[in-house]
Coordinates of all heavy atoms in Angstrom, one line a residue:
M25 N 166.3 83.6 124.0 CA 165.8 82.3 124.7 C 164.3 82.3 124.4 O 163.6 83.3 124.6 CB 166.1 82.3 126.2 CG 165.4 81.2 126.9 SD 166.1 81.0 128.6 CE 167.1 79.6 128.3
P26 N 163.8 81.1 124.0 CA 162.3 81.0 123.8 C 161.5 81.2 125.0 O 161.9 80.7 126.1 CB 162.2 79.6 123.2 CG 163.5 79.1 122.9 CD 164.5 79.9 123.7
N27 N 160.4 81.8 124.9 CA 159.5 81.9 126.0 C 158.1 81.4 125.5 O 158.0 80.9 124.4 CB 159.3 83.3 126.6 CG 158.8 84.3 125.5 OD1 158.1 84.0 124.7 ND2 159.3 85.6 125.6
S28 N 157.1 81.4 126.5 CA 155.8 80.8 126.1 C 155.1 81.6 124.9 O 154.3 81.0 124.2 CB 154.9 80.8 127.3 OG 154.7 82.2 127.7
T29 N 155.5 82.8 124.7 CA 154.9 83.5 123.6 C 155.4 83.1 122.3 O 154.7 82.9 121.3 CB 155.1 85.1 123.8 OG1 154.5 85.5 125.1 CG2 154.4 85.9 122.7
T30 N 156.7 82.9 122.2 CA 157.3 82.6 121.0 C 157.4 81.1 120.7 O 157.5 80.6 119.5 CB 158.8 83.1 120.9 OG1 159.5 82.5 122.0 CG2 158.9 84.6 120.9
S31 N 157.3 80.3 121.7 CA 157.4 78.8 121.5 C 156.0 78.1 121.3 O 156.0 77.0 120.9 CB 158.0 78.1 122.7 OG 157.2 78.2 123.9
G32 N 155.0 78.9 121.5 CA 153.6 78.3 121.3 C 153.2 77.5 122.5 O 152.1 76.8 122.4
I33 N 153.8 77.5 123.6 CA 153.5 76.8 124.8 C 152.7 77.7 125.7 O 153.2 78.8 126.1 CB 154.7 76.2 125.5 CG1 155.4 75.2 124.6 CG2 154.3 75.5 126.8 CD1 156.8 74.7 125.1
T34 N 151.6 77.2 126.2 CA 150.7 77.9 127.1 C 150.3 76.9 128.2 O 149.8 75.9 127.9 CB 149.5 78.6 126.5 OG1 150.0 79.5 125.5 CG2 148.7 79.3 127.4
S35 N 150.4 77.4 129.4 CA 149.9 76.5 130.5 C 148.5 76.9 130.9 O 148.2 78.1 131.0 CB 150.8 76.7 131.7 OG 150.4 76.0 132.8
V36 N 147.6 75.9 131.0 CA 146.2 76.1 131.4 C 145.9 75.3 132.5 O 146.1 74.1 132.5 CB 145.3 75.8 130.2 CG1 143.9 76.1 130.5 CG2 145.6 76.7 129.0
K37 N 145.4 75.9 133.6 CA 144.9 75.1 134.7 C 143.5 74.6 134.5 O 142.5 75.4 134.4 CB 145.0 76.0 136.0 CG 146.4 76.4 136.4 CD 146.4 77.2 137.6 CE 147.9 77.5 137.9 NZ 148.0 78.5 139.0
L38 N 143.3 73.3 134.3 CA 142.0 72.8 133.9 C 141.2 72.4 135.1 O 140.0 72.2 135.0 CB 142.2 71.6 133.0 CG 142.9 71.8 131.7 CD1 143.2 70.5 131.0 CD2 142.1 72.7 130.8
G39 N 141.8 72.3 136.3 CA 141.0 71.9 137.5 C 140.3 70.7 137.3 O 140.8 69.7 136.8
H40 N 139.0 70.6 137.7 CA 138.1 69.5 137.6 C 137.9 69.0 136.2 O 137.5 67.8 136.0 CB 136.8 69.7 138.4 CG 136.0 70.7 137.7 ND1 136.1 72.1 137.8 CD2 134.9 70.5 136.8 CE1 135.2 72.7 137.0 NE2 134.5 71.8 136.4
R41 N 138.1 69.9 135.2 CA 137.9 69.5 133.9 C 138.9 68.5 133.3 O 138.5 67.8 132.4 CB 138.0 70.8 133.0 CG 136.9 71.8 133.3 CD 137.2 73.1 132.6 NE 136.5 74.2 133.2 CZ 136.9 75.0 134.2 NH1 138.1 74.7 134.7 NH2 136.2 75.9 134.6
K42 N 140.0 68.4 133.9 CA 141.1 67.5 133.4 C 140.7 66.1 133.4 O 140.9 65.3 132.5 CB 142.4 67.7 134.2 CG 143.5 67.0 133.6 CD 144.9 67.4 134.2 CE 146.0 66.7 133.5 NZ 147.3 67.1 134.0
S43 N 140.0 65.6 134.5 CA 139.6 64.2 134.6 C 138.5 64.0 133.6 O 138.4 62.9 133.0 CB 139.2 63.9 136.0 OG 138.0 64.6 136.4
D44 N 137.6 64.9 133.4 CA 136.5 64.7 132.4 C 137.1 64.7 131.0 O 136.7 63.8 130.2 CB 135.5 65.9 132.5 CG 134.7 66.0 133.7 OD1 134.6 64.9 134.4 OD2 134.2 67.0 134.1
L45 N 138.1 65.5 130.7 CA 138.7 65.5 129.4 C 139.5 64.2 129.2 O 139.4 63.6 128.1 CB 139.7 66.7 129.3 CG 139.0 68.0 128.9 CD1 140.0 69.1 129.1 CD2 138.4 68.0 127.6
A46 N 140.1 63.7 130.3 CA 140.9 62.4 130.1 C 139.9 61.3 129.9 O 140.2 60.4 129.0 CB 141.6 62.2 131.4
Q47 N 138.7 61.3 130.5 CA 137.8 60.2 130.2 C 137.3 60.3 128.8 O 137.2 59.3 128.1 CB 136.6 60.4 131.2 CG 135.6 59.3 131.0 CD 134.4 59.4 132.0 OE1 134.2 60.5 132.5 NE2 133.6 58.4 132.2
I48 N 137.0 61.5 128.3 CA 136.5 61.6 126.9 C 137.6 61.2 126.0 O 137.3 60.5 125.0 CB 136.0 63.1 126.7 CG1 134.8 63.4 127.5 CG2 135.7 63.4 125.2 CD1 134.4 64.8 127.6
A49 N 138.8 61.7 126.3 CA 139.9 61.3 125.3 C 140.1 59.8 125.3 O 140.3 59.3 124.2 CB 141.2 62.0 125.9
G50 N 140.0 59.2 126.4 CA 140.2 57.7 126.4 C 139.1 57.0 125.6 O 139.4 56.1 124.8
L51 N 137.8 57.5 125.7 CA 136.8 56.8 125.0 C 136.9 57.1 123.5 O 136.5 56.3 122.7 CB 135.4 57.4 125.5 CG 135.0 57.0 126.9 CD1 133.8 57.8 127.4 CD2 134.7 55.5 127.0
Q52 N 137.4 58.3 123.1 CA 137.6 58.6 121.7 C 138.9 58.2 121.2 O 139.2 58.5 120.0 CB 137.3 60.1 121.5 CG 135.9 60.5 121.8 CD 135.7 62.0 121.5 OE1 136.7 62.8 121.2 NE2 134.5 62.5 121.6
K53 N 139.7 57.6 122.0 CA 141.1 57.2 121.6 C 141.9 58.4 121.0 O 142.5 58.3 120.0 CB 141.1 56.0 120.6 CG 140.4 54.8 121.1 CD 140.5 53.6 120.2 CE 139.9 52.4 120.7 NZ 139.5 52.1 122.0
R54 N 141.8 59.4 121.8 CA 142.5 60.7 121.5 C 143.3 61.2 122.7 O 143.2 60.5 123.8 CB 141.5 61.7 121.1 CG 140.7 61.4 119.8 CD 139.7 62.5 119.4 NE 140.4 63.8 119.3 CZ 139.6 64.9 119.1 NH1 138.3 64.8 119.1 NH2 140.2 66.0 118.9
T55 N 144.0 62.2 122.6 CA 144.8 62.7 123.7 C 144.0 64.0 124.2 O 143.2 64.6 123.5 CB 146.2 63.2 123.3 OG1 146.0 64.3 122.3 CG2 147.0 62.1 122.7
V56 N 144.2 64.3 125.5 CA 143.6 65.5 126.1 C 144.1 66.7 125.3 O 143.3 67.6 125.0 CB 144.0 65.6 127.6 CG1 143.6 66.9 128.1 CG2 143.3 64.5 128.4
H57 N 145.4 66.7 124.9 CA 145.9 67.8 124.1 C 145.1 68.0 122.9 O 144.8 69.2 122.6 CB 147.4 67.5 123.8 CG 148.0 68.5 122.9 ND1 148.5 69.7 123.3 CD2 148.2 68.5 121.5 CE1 149.0 70.4 122.3 NE2 148.8 69.6 121.2
S58 N 144.8 67.0 122.2 CA 144.0 67.1 120.9 C 142.6 67.7 121.2 O 142.1 68.5 120.4 CB 144.0 65.8 120.1 OG 143.1 64.9 120.7
L59 N 142.0 67.3 122.3 CA 140.7 67.8 122.6 C 140.8 69.3 122.9 O 139.9 70.1 122.5 CB 140.1 67.1 123.8 CG 139.7 65.6 123.6 CD1 139.2 65.0 124.9 CD2 138.8 65.4 122.5
V60 N 141.8 69.7 123.7 CA 142.0 71.1 124.1 C 142.2 71.9 122.8 O 141.6 73.0 122.6 CB 143.1 71.3 125.1 CG1 143.4 72.7 125.3 CG2 142.6 70.6 126.4
I61 N 143.1 71.5 121.9 CA 143.4 72.2 120.7 C 142.2 72.3 119.8 O 141.9 73.4 119.3 CB 144.5 71.5 119.9 CG1 145.9 71.5 120.6 CG2 144.7 72.0 118.5 CD1 146.4 72.9 120.8
E62 N 141.4 71.3 119.7 CA 140.1 71.4 119.0 C 139.1 72.4 119.6 O 138.5 73.1 118.8 CB 139.4 70.0 118.9 CG 138.1 70.0 118.1 CD 137.4 68.6 118.1 OE1 138.2 67.6 118.1 OE2 136.2 68.6 118.1
A63 N 139.1 72.3 120.9 CA 138.1 73.3 121.6 C 138.6 74.8 121.4 O 137.8 75.6 121.1 CB 138.1 73.0 123.1
V64 N 139.9 75.0 121.5 CA 140.4 76.4 121.3 C 140.2 76.8 119.8 O 139.8 77.9 119.6 CB 141.9 76.4 121.7 CG1 142.5 77.7 121.2 CG2 142.1 76.2 123.2
D65 N 140.5 75.9 118.9 CA 140.3 76.2 117.5 C 138.8 76.6 117.2 O 138.5 77.6 116.5 CB 140.7 75.1 116.5 CG 142.2 74.9 116.4 OD1 142.9 75.8 116.8 OD2 142.6 73.8 116.0
R66 N 137.9 75.8 117.8 CA 136.5 76.1 117.6 C 136.1 77.4 118.2 O 135.3 78.2 117.6 CB 135.6 75.0 118.2 CG 135.6 73.7 117.3 CD 134.6 72.8 117.9 NE 134.6 71.5 117.1 CZ 133.9 70.5 117.4 NH1 133.0 70.5 118.4 NH2 134.0 69.4 116.6
Y67 N 136.6 77.7 119.4 CA 136.3 79.0 120.0 C 136.8 80.2 119.2 O 136.1 81.2 119.0 CB 137.0 79.0 121.4 CG 136.9 80.4 122.1 CD1 135.7 80.7 122.7 CD2 137.9 81.3 122.0 CE1 135.5 81.9 123.3 CE2 137.7 82.6 122.6 CZ 136.5 82.9 123.2 OH 136.4 84.1 123.8
I68 N 138.1 80.0 118.7 CA 138.6 81.1 117.8 C 137.8 81.3 116.6 O 137.4 82.4 116.2 CB 140.1 80.7 117.4 CG1 141.0 80.9 118.6 CG2 140.6 81.7 116.3 CD1 142.4 80.3 118.4
E69 N 137.4 80.2 115.9 CA 136.5 80.3 114.7 C 135.2 81.0 115.0 O 134.8 81.8 114.3 CB 136.3 78.9 114.1 CG 137.5 78.3 113.5 CD 137.3 76.8 113.1 OE1 136.1 76.3 113.1 OE2 138.3 76.1 112.8
Q70 N 134.5 80.5 116.1 CA 133.3 81.1 116.5 C 133.4 82.6 116.8 O 132.5 83.4 116.4 CB 132.7 80.3 117.7 CG 132.2 78.9 117.3 CD 131.8 78.1 118.5 OE1 132.0 78.6 119.7 NE2 131.3 76.9 118.3
T71 N 134.4 82.9 117.6 CA 134.6 84.3 118.0 C 134.9 85.2 116.8 O 134.4 86.3 116.7 CB 135.7 84.4 119.0 OG1 135.3 83.6 120.2 CG2 135.9 85.8 119.5
Q72 N 135.8 84.7 115.9 CA 136.1 85.5 114.7 C 134.8 85.6 113.8 O 134.6 86.7 113.2 CB 137.2 84.8 113.9 CG 138.5 85.0 114.6 CD 139.7 84.3 113.9 OE1 139.5 83.3 113.2 NE2 140.9 84.7 114.2
A73 N 134.0 84.6 113.7 CA 132.8 84.7 112.9 C 131.8 85.7 113.5 O 131.2 86.5 112.8 CB 132.1 83.3 112.8
K74 N 131.7 85.7 114.8 CA 130.8 86.7 115.5 C 131.3 88.1 115.3 O 130.6 89.0 115.0 CB 130.8 86.3 117.0 CG 129.9 87.3 117.8 CD 129.9 87.0 119.2 CE 129.1 88.0 120.0 NZ 129.2 87.9 121.5
M75 N 132.6 88.3 115.4 CA 133.2 89.6 115.2 C 133.0 90.1 113.7 O 132.7 91.3 113.5 CB 134.7 89.6 115.5 CG 135.0 89.4 117.0 SD 136.7 89.1 117.4 CE 137.5 90.6 116.9
R76 N 133.1 89.2 112.7 CA 132.9 89.6 111.3 C 131.4 90.0 111.2 O 131.1 90.9 110.5 CB 133.3 88.4 110.4 CG 134.7 88.2 110.2 CD 135.1 87.3 109.1 NE 134.5 86.0 109.3 CZ 135.0 85.0 109.9 NH1 136.2 85.1 110.4 NH2 134.4 83.8 110.0
Y77 N 130.5 89.2 111.7 CA 129.1 89.4 111.7 C 128.8 90.8 112.2 O 128.0 91.6 111.7 CB 128.3 88.3 112.4 CG 126.8 88.5 112.4 CD1 126.1 88.2 111.3 CD2 126.1 89.1 113.5 CE1 124.7 88.3 111.3 CE2 124.8 89.2 113.4 CZ 124.0 88.9 112.4 OH 122.7 89.1 112.3
E78 N 129.3 91.1 113.4 CA 129.0 92.3 114.1 C 129.6 93.5 113.3 O 128.9 94.5 113.2 CB 129.6 92.3 115.5 CG 128.8 91.4 116.5 CD 129.5 91.2 117.8 OE1 130.6 91.6 118.0 OE2 128.8 90.6 118.7
A79 N 130.8 93.3 112.8 CA 131.4 94.4 111.9 C 130.5 94.7 110.7 O 130.3 95.8 110.3 CB 132.8 94.0 111.5
Q80 N 130.0 93.6 110.1 CA 129.2 93.8 108.9 C 127.8 94.5 109.3 O 127.4 95.4 108.5 CB 128.8 92.4 108.2 CG 127.9 92.5 107.1 CD 128.4 93.4 105.9 OE1 129.6 93.3 105.6 NE2 127.6 94.3 105.4
A81 N 127.3 94.2 110.4 CA 126.1 94.8 110.9 C 126.3 96.3 111.1 O 125.5 97.2 110.7 CB 125.6 94.2 112.2
I82 N 127.5 96.7 111.6 CA 127.8 98.1 111.9 C 128.0 98.8 110.5 O 127.4 99.9 110.4 CB 129.1 98.2 112.8 CG1 128.8 97.7 114.2 CG2 129.6 99.6 112.7 CD1 130.0 97.6 115.1
R83 N 128.6 98.1 109.6 CA 128.8 98.7 108.3 C 127.5 99.0 107.6 O 127.3 100.0 107.0 CB 129.8 97.9 107.4 CG 131.2 98.0 107.8 CD 132.1 97.4 106.7 NE 131.9 96.0 106.4 CZ 132.3 95.0 107.1 NH1 133.1 95.2 108.2 NH2 132.0 93.7 106.8
S84 N 126.6 98.0 107.7 CA 125.3 98.1 107.1 C 124.5 99.2 107.7 O 123.8 100.0 107.0 CB 124.5 96.7 107.3 OG 125.1 95.7 106.6
Y85 N 124.5 99.3 109.0 CA 123.8 100.4 109.7 C 124.4 101.8 109.3 O 123.6 102.7 109.0 CB 123.9 100.2 111.2 CG 123.1 101.3 111.9 CD1 121.7 101.4 111.8 CD2 123.7 102.3 112.7 CE1 121.0 102.4 112.5 CE2 123.1 103.2 113.4 CZ 121.7 103.3 113.3 OH 121.0 104.3 113.9
E86 N 125.7 101.9 109.2 CA 126.3 103.1 108.8 C 125.9 103.5 107.4 O 125.7 104.7 107.1 CB 127.8 103.0 109.0 CG 128.3 103.0 110.4 CD 129.8 102.7 110.5 OE1 130.5 102.2 109.6 OE2 130.3 102.9 111.7
N87 N 125.8 102.5 106.5 CA 125.4 102.7 105.1 C 124.0 103.2 105.1 O 123.6 104.1 104.3 CB 125.6 101.4 104.3 CG 125.2 101.6 102.9 OD1 124.0 101.4 102.5 ND2 126.1 102.0 102.0
Y88 N 123.2 102.5 105.9 CA 121.7 103.0 106.0 C 121.6 104.4 106.5 O 120.9 105.2 105.9 CB 120.9 102.1 106.9 CG 119.6 102.6 107.3 CD1 118.6 102.8 106.4 CD2 119.4 103.1 108.6 CE1 117.3 103.3 106.8 CE2 118.2 103.7 109.0 CZ 117.2 103.8 108.1 OH 116.0 104.3 108.5
Q89 N 122.4 104.8 107.5 CA 122.4 106.2 108.0 C 122.9 107.2 106.9 O 122.3 108.2 106.8 CB 123.3 106.3 109.2 CG 122.7 105.7 110.5 CD 123.6 105.9 111.7 OE1 124.9 105.6 111.6 NE2 123.1 106.4 112.7
A90 N 123.9 106.7 106.1 CA 124.4 107.6 105.1 C 123.5 107.8 103.9 O 123.4 108.8 103.3 CB 125.8 107.2 104.6
T91 N 122.8 106.7 103.5 CA 122.0 106.7 102.3 C 120.5 106.7 102.5 O 119.8 107.1 101.5 CB 122.4 105.5 101.4 OG1 121.9 104.3 102.0 CG2 123.8 105.4 101.1
G92 N 120.1 106.1 103.5 CA 118.6 105.9 103.8 C 118.0 104.7 103.0 O 116.9 104.5 103.2
L93 N 118.9 104.0 102.3 CA 118.4 102.9 101.5 C 118.1 101.7 102.5 O 118.9 101.5 103.4 CB 119.4 102.5 100.5 CG 119.6 103.5 99.3 CD1 120.8 103.0 98.4 CD2 118.4 103.7 98.6
H94 N 117.0 101.1 102.2 CA 116.6 99.9 103.1 C 115.6 99.0 102.4 O 115.0 99.4 101.3 CB 116.0 100.4 104.4 CG 114.7 101.1 104.1 ND1 114.6 102.4 103.6 CD2 113.4 100.7 104.4 CE1 113.3 102.7 103.5 NE2 112.5 101.7 104.0
V95 N 115.3 97.9 103.0 CA 114.3 97.0 102.6 C 113.5 96.7 103.9 O 114.1 96.5 104.9 CB 114.8 95.7 102.0 CG1 113.7 94.7 101.8 CG2 115.5 95.9 100.8
T96 N 112.2 96.8 103.9 CA 111.4 96.6 105.1 C 111.3 95.1 105.4 O 111.5 94.2 104.5 CB 110.0 97.1 105.0 OG1 109.3 96.3 104.0 CG2 110.0 98.6 104.6
L97 N 111.0 94.8 106.7 CA 110.9 93.4 107.1 C 109.7 92.7 106.3 O 109.9 91.6 105.9 CB 110.7 93.3 108.6 CG 110.4 91.9 109.2 CD1 111.6 91.0 108.9 CD2 110.1 92.0 110.6
D98 N 108.6 93.4 106.1 CA 107.5 92.9 105.4 C 107.9 92.5 104.0 O 107.6 91.5 103.4 CB 106.3 93.8 105.4 CG 105.7 93.9 106.8 OD1 105.8 93.0 107.6 OD2 105.0 94.9 107.0
E99 N 108.7 93.4 103.3 CA 109.1 93.1 101.9 C 110.0 91.9 101.9 O 109.9 91.1 101.0 CB 109.9 94.4 101.4 CG 109.0 95.6 101.2 CD 109.8 96.8 101.0 OE1 111.0 96.9 101.4 OE2 109.2 97.8 100.3
L100 N 110.9 91.8 102.8 CA 111.8 90.7 102.8 C 111.1 89.4 103.1 O 111.4 88.4 102.5 CB 112.9 90.9 103.9 CG 114.1 89.9 103.8 CD1 114.8 90.0 102.4 CD2 115.1 90.2 104.9
Q101 N 110.2 89.4 104.1 CA 109.4 88.2 104.4 C 108.6 87.8 103.3 O 108.4 86.6 103.0 CB 108.6 88.5 105.7 CG 109.3 88.4 107.0 CD 108.5 88.6 108.2 OE1 107.5 89.3 108.2 NE2 108.9 88.0 109.3
D102 N 107.9 88.7 102.6 CA 107.1 88.4 101.4 C 107.9 87.7 100.4 O 107.5 86.7 99.8 CB 106.5 89.7 100.9 CG 105.4 89.5 99.8 OD1 104.6 88.5 100.0 OD2 105.5 90.2 98.8
W103 N 109.1 88.2 100.1 CA 110.0 87.6 99.1 C 110.4 86.2 99.6 O 110.3 85.2 98.9 CB 111.2 88.4 98.9 CG 112.3 87.8 98.2 CD1 112.4 87.5 96.9 CD2 113.5 87.2 98.8 NE1 113.6 86.8 96.6 CE2 114.2 86.6 97.7 CE3 114.0 87.2 100.1 CZ2 115.5 86.0 98.0 CZ3 115.3 86.5 100.3 CH2 115.9 85.9 99.2
A104 N 110.8 86.1 100.9 CA 111.3 84.8 101.4 C 110.2 83.7 101.3 O 110.4 82.6 101.0 CB 111.8 84.9 102.8
N105 N 109.0 84.2 101.7 CA 107.8 83.2 101.6 C 107.5 82.8 100.2 O 107.0 81.7 100.0 CB 106.6 83.9 102.2 CG 106.7 84.1 103.8 OD1 107.5 83.4 104.4 ND2 106.0 85.0 104.3
S106 N 107.8 83.6 99.2 CA 107.6 83.2 97.9 C 108.5 82.2 97.3 O 108.3 81.6 96.3 CB 107.6 84.4 96.9 OG 108.9 84.9 96.6
L107 N 109.7 82.0 98.0 CA 110.7 81.1 97.4 C 110.2 79.6 97.3 O 110.7 78.9 96.5 CB 112.0 81.2 98.3 CG 112.6 82.6 98.2 CD1 113.9 82.6 99.1 CD2 113.0 83.0 96.8
D108 N 109.3 79.3 98.2 CA 108.7 77.9 98.1 C 107.6 77.7 97.1 O 107.1 76.6 96.8 CB 108.2 77.5 99.5 CG 109.3 77.2 100.5 OD1 110.4 76.9 100.0 OD2 109.1 77.3 101.7
S109 N 107.3 78.8 96.4 CA 106.2 78.7 95.4 C 106.7 78.4 94.0 O 107.9 78.4 93.8 CB 105.4 80.0 95.4 OG 106.1 81.1 94.8
L110 N 105.8 78.2 93.1 CA 106.2 77.9 91.7 C 106.6 79.2 91.0 O 107.3 79.1 90.0 CB 105.0 77.3 91.0 CG 104.6 75.9 91.5 CD1 103.4 75.4 90.7 CD2 105.8 74.9 91.3
T111 N 106.2 80.3 91.6 CA 106.6 81.6 91.0 C 107.2 82.5 92.1 O 106.5 83.4 92.6 CB 105.3 82.3 90.4 OG1 104.3 82.4 91.4 CG2 104.8 81.6 89.2
P112 N 108.4 82.3 92.4 CA 109.1 83.1 93.4 C 109.2 84.6 93.0 O 109.4 84.8 91.8 CB 110.4 82.5 93.6 CG 110.6 81.6 92.5 CD 109.3 81.2 91.9
K113 N 109.1 85.4 93.9 CA 109.2 86.9 93.6 C 110.7 87.3 93.5 O 111.5 86.7 94.1 CB 108.5 87.7 94.6 CG 107.0 87.5 94.8 CD 106.4 88.3 95.8 CE 104.9 88.0 95.9 NZ 104.2 88.8 96.8
P114 N 110.9 88.4 92.7 CA 112.3 88.8 92.7 C 112.7 89.4 94.0 O 111.9 89.9 94.8 CB 112.3 89.9 91.6 CG 110.9 90.3 91.4 CD 110.1 89.1 91.9
L115 N 114.0 89.4 94.3 CA 114.5 90.0 95.5 C 114.2 91.5 95.6 O 114.3 92.2 94.6 CB 116.1 89.8 95.5 CG 116.8 90.3 96.8 CD1 116.4 89.5 98.0 CD2 118.3 90.2 96.6
P116 N 113.6 91.9 96.7 CA 113.2 93.3 96.7 C 114.4 94.3 96.7 O 115.5 93.9 97.2 CB 112.5 93.5 98.1 CG 113.0 92.3 98.9 CD 113.3 91.2 97.9
L117 N 114.2 95.4 96.0 CA 115.3 96.4 95.9 C 115.3 97.3 97.0 O 114.2 97.6 97.6 CB 115.1 97.1 94.5 CG 115.2 96.3 93.3 CD1 114.9 97.1 92.0 CD2 116.5 95.6 93.1
C118 N 116.5 97.8 97.3 CA 116.6 98.8 98.4 C 115.9 100.1 97.9 O 116.0 100.5 96.7 CB 118.0 99.1 98.7 SG 118.8 97.7 99.6
H119 N 115.3 100.8 98.8 CA 114.6 102.1 98.5 C 114.7 103.0 99.7 O 115.0 102.6 100.8 CB 113.2 101.9 98.1 CG 112.4 101.1 99.1 ND1 111.8 101.7 100.2 CD2 112.2 99.8 99.2 CE1 111.2 100.8 100.9 NE2 111.4 99.6 100.4
K120 N 114.3 104.3 99.5 CA 114.3 105.2 100.6 C 112.9 105.3 101.2 O 111.9 104.9 100.6 CB 114.7 106.6 100.2 CG 116.2 106.7 99.8 CD 116.7 108.1 99.6 CE 118.2 108.1 99.4 NZ 118.7 109.4 99.5

């Protein structure tokens, strides 16, 4: 027998938010359901992007700990500032 996990149905108590969502939905000629789905999709995308960013930061730090290779902030800023010039500098190389 299908349950809420397998059927994709989840009940959410919106409380005072329901009337606000209904008003927005009416103005946008959409359904409350479509607004909630859009909000959940955006939350999932943002959370997954944050998790990927954090995982990459951890991998980068672990790589730095293992190799000692790095670029200083001053080197990176100097390069970035040169990008608006007629003679941009090459990307700085990692070093110990």
Side-chain angles (χ1 to χ4, degrees):
M25 171 168 258
N27 61 34
S28 63
T29 304
T30 59
S31 68
I33 297 171
T34 300
S35 176
V36 178
K37 294 179 182 175
L38 298 172
H40 68 279
R41 296 169 197 89
K42 189 169 184 176
S43 62
D44 293 339
L45 284 170
Q47 182 181 18
I48 293 168
L51 292 170
Q52 294 184 352
K53 299 187 183 342
R54 296 177 60 187
T55 64
V56 169
H57 174 82
S58 71
L59 295 178
V60 171
I61 293 297
E62 181 182 328
V64 170
D65 286 346
R66 285 185 183 182
Y67 175 79
I68 290 169
E69 290 170 14
Q70 290 171 354
T71 302
Q72 288 174 336
K74 181 181 177 191
M75 292 169 65
R76 286 190 302 272
Y77 179 81
E78 290 171 350
Q80 178 59 45
I82 290 168
R83 286 191 303 274
S84 295
Y85 181 67
E86 289 170 347
N87 182 269
Y88 165 72
Q89 286 182 310
T91 66
L93 294 174
H94 68 283
V95 174
T96 67
L97 177 60
D98 288 340
E99 292 167 335
L100 191 60
Q101 283 180 330
D102 187 42
W103 167 75
N105 291 337
S106 79
L107 295 178
D108 286 336
S109 73
L110 294 176
T111 55
K113 296 180 179 182
L115 184 66
L117 298 176
C118 291
H119 56 83
K120 288 190 178 194

